[in-house]
Amino acid sequence: MVSSSHEAMHRIFQEYPGLFSRVSEVLGVEIGPPASATVMPTDLTENRPLERRVDTLLRIDMEDDRSYLLAIEAQGKKDPDKPASWMYYLSYLQAKYKLPPMLLVVCQDRATAEWAARPFPVGHPQSPVLTLQALVAGPHNMPVITDVAEARKDLALATLAAITHAGDPDIGAILKTLSTALRDVPETIADPIVELTAQGLGNRPAAQQWRNLVAVDLSFYKSSLSEEIRDEGRTEGRTEGRAEGTARGILLLLAQAGVDVPEEARERVMGCADLDILSRWLLRAPTATSVEDVFAEK
């Protein structure tokens, strides 16, 4: 199953095709800004039962009338079979579209990024006929952006940088910088940034940090993510309220029955947040002769 972080690492280039020209500068390759970009079909399947799909494929048209194809792959781990697939993609694209293809691999861990950046030769070791050399963006070379002004200069690059540094010890500061940079940005611009960042962080601990920042720093506008966070907060609040009310009801029934409730037992009741357990205790409270009767496993 394709993870949300996998989707965000390549889909951000669909949303912001010009991002590649800035990423290429970071990677030491001067490509230049595009005049236009077209999202191309990603299905590279031939008329045989072998299906091949690139993650994202863009046709980039330059102002000087030159064009090229940009294949973007999000790579989560080392895969010894992947370089052969990448070579196939590039050869197929060259043959089909008669345009020079480029390959950008986006990673979230250093080991995978360094592996993907290696040259992969094809052919006899003494005379390789082809050598794959991908451009790789990852935590080893993407900037750590913790300056709000820098983030505001290029929000798309700041977002990709945050995604690639999802496991960085400084991810909290990186995300805080990004959320602060979005405060004065129109909702139409901020909303996809918020969603892509949430996707890119996946199920890492940083994902909850981002949700909390969105709920606080970006509470002035409504996005699907911010609304989801607020709904979760309201649901949690209602659940906590029901749990506290049920716990107080248990203690009240025990008091009416003359049952002595030690402080430890009182804390256990009030500290329980499981409504199913509290409901069982509530049913036992009216006939209990001791707190052990309430807590007994039956």
Side-chain angles (χ1 to χ4, degrees):
M1 180 181 295
V2 175
S3 65
S4 61
S5 57
H6 179 281
E7 286 292 302
M9 282 193 285
H10 67 84
R11 194 167 65 83
I12 188 172
F13 291 91
Q14 296 181 23
E15 298 286 339
Y16 309 99
L19 172 61
F20 177 63
S21 66
R22 279 103 70 190
V23 172
S24 68
E25 291 178 16
V26 174
L27 304 182
V29 182
E30 294 286 343
I31 300 298
S36 63
T38 306
V39 177
M40 305 285 285
T42 60
D43 189 349
L44 307 183
T45 308
E46 295 187 60
N47 293 326
R48 52 180 179 163
L50 183 61
E51 183 177 298
R52 300 179 187 269
R53 291 180 185 273
V54 65
D55 286 337
T56 282
L57 179 62
L58 300 174
R59 173 182 170 138
I60 305 295
D61 298 312
M62 309 294 284
E63 291 184 353
D64 59 4
D65 294 330
R66 290 181 300 117
S67 299
Y68 65 94
L69 298 174
L70 176 61
I72 303 158
E73 287 277 286
Q75 191 67 25
K77 61 181 180 180
K78 298 178 185 178
D79 182 351
D81 295 328
K82 210 54 186 283
S85 295
W86 291 337
M87 291 180 194
Y88 172 87
Y89 297 164
L90 298 172
S91 298
Y92 178 88
L93 292 171
Q94 177 80 50
K96 181 175 181 178
Y97 294 104
K98 302 297 188 293
L99 291 173
M102 297 187 72
L103 173 63
L104 174 67
V105 181
V106 184
C107 307
Q108 287 180 298
D109 72 273
R110 180 179 292 271
T112 301
E114 292 176 346
W115 164 82
R118 288 165 34 198
F120 292 97
V122 173
H124 193 280
Q126 293 181 318
S127 181
V129 293
L130 291 173
T131 299
L132 173 72
Q133 185 72 68
L135 291 173
V136 179
H140 67 305
N141 57 11
M142 292 301 289
V144 175
I145 300 177
T146 55
D147 180 79
V148 174
E150 184 182 355
R152 282 181 176 147
K153 287 179 183 177
D154 196 331
L155 288 170
L157 181 62
T159 302
L160 181 65
I163 290 172
T164 55
H165 287 287
D168 194 291
D170 294 328
I171 186 60
I174 295 170
L175 294 177
K176 178 63 177 177
T177 299
L178 183 57
S179 68
T180 302
L182 291 174
R183 285 181 182 173
D184 300 322
V185 172
E187 181 178 337
T188 53
I189 296 174
D191 191 39
I193 295 289
V194 169
E195 301 293 339
L196 282 166
T197 304
Q199 276 192 329
L201 296 174
N203 58 3
R204 291 174 173 80
Q208 188 57 51
Q209 290 180 268
W210 179 244
R211 298 171 76 85
N212 294 340
L213 287 169
V214 170
V216 176
D217 290 353
L218 304 177
S219 59
F220 57 86
Y221 81 89
K222 299 181 184 295
S223 70
S224 58
L225 177 62
S226 60
E227 285 299 289
E228 179 185 337
I229 292 171
R230 294 182 192 114
D231 288 343
E232 287 176 358
R234 286 191 285 267
T235 299
E236 289 174 3
R238 288 193 294 268
T239 300
E240 290 174 1
R242 289 199 299 270
E244 182 179 351
T246 304
R248 292 187 183 280
I250 293 168
L251 296 177
L252 179 61
L253 289 172
L254 290 174
Q256 290 176 338
V259 175
D260 180 55
V261 182
E263 185 60 29
E264 183 179 348
R266 183 179 299 274
E267 291 178 357
R268 181 178 177 183
V269 172
M270 292 304 299
C272 181
D274 191 317
L275 285 172
D276 290 336
I277 294 175
L278 288 169
S279 297
R280 289 199 299 270
W281 292 350
L282 183 66
L283 291 174
R284 297 171 188 169
T287 57
T289 58
S290 68
V291 289
E292 287 75 17
D293 293 338
V294 175
F295 297 145
E297 294 295 334
K298 299 180 180 179

